[in-house]
Amino acid sequence: MEFQKDSSFFSGRLKSVSFAVKGAVKLITTEHSVMVQFFIGIVMTILGFYLHITTTEWLFQTLAIGLVMSVEGINTAVEKIADFIHPNFHERIGFIKDIAAGAVFFAALTAIAIGLIIYVPKFL
């Protein structure tokens, strides 16, 4: 079966957006680590409204949530591809997966730092 590319700018973009939304929904509804990060993002958003954070704080908080969710998605894709290519344990596949998980760790540490910078002064 040959892939038929949509040459229309508008309908092509609309299809791209629909694929992206479908992927985001799959990510949030099937991956436990993403479910946890999504829940934390919702809690932080509610907390932001409750504590009336500034526009600048909203920008950093939104960026941090988006960063973590995006890197989690990339990590999940790397893991799924690695498992598809080599379903059994393999040291090199494990190394690749560990690196992808390390990227999530850096994003999460960044988000935690941003959260602490925004919220600790509000509770002191």
Side-chain angles (χ1 to χ4, degrees):
M1 184 170 132
E2 188 176 316
F3 178 71
Q4 194 73 2
K5 187 171 179 166
D6 190 337
S7 59
S8 168
F9 178 79
F10 182 73
S11 63
R13 299 305 61 79
L14 196 57
K15 284 181 183 177
S16 294
V17 169
S18 70
F19 292 142
V21 169
K22 183 179 175 183
V25 170
K26 282 183 181 179
L27 197 57
I28 292 168
T29 58
T30 62
E31 298 300 317
H32 293 287
S33 60
V34 177
M35 289 177 197
V36 169
Q37 297 295 351
F38 187 69
F39 176 75
I40 291 169
I42 290 171
V43 168
M44 298 310 294
T45 301
I46 292 168
L47 189 61
F49 281 116
Y50 181 75
L51 294 175
H52 305 287
I53 62 176
T54 68
T55 301
T56 303
E57 291 168 335
W58 273 116
L59 290 171
F60 280 106
Q61 178 169 297
T62 304
L63 182 63
I65 292 168
L67 173 70
V68 171
M69 295 296 293
S70 298
V71 177
E72 278 282 9
I74 293 168
N75 178 53
T76 299
V78 167
E79 288 182 355
K80 299 290 183 192
I81 290 169
D83 289 343
F84 179 76
I85 292 170
H86 206 293
N88 299 323
F89 176 79
H90 190 280
E91 187 176 323
R92 287 168 59 186
I93 294 291
F95 181 79
I96 292 166
K97 288 178 160 186
D98 288 347
I99 289 172
V104 175
F105 180 70
F106 286 133
L109 285 179
T110 301
I112 290 167
I114 290 169
L116 291 173
I117 291 166
I118 292 171
Y119 290 103
V120 166
K122 299 195 183 309
F123 289 103
L124 293 179

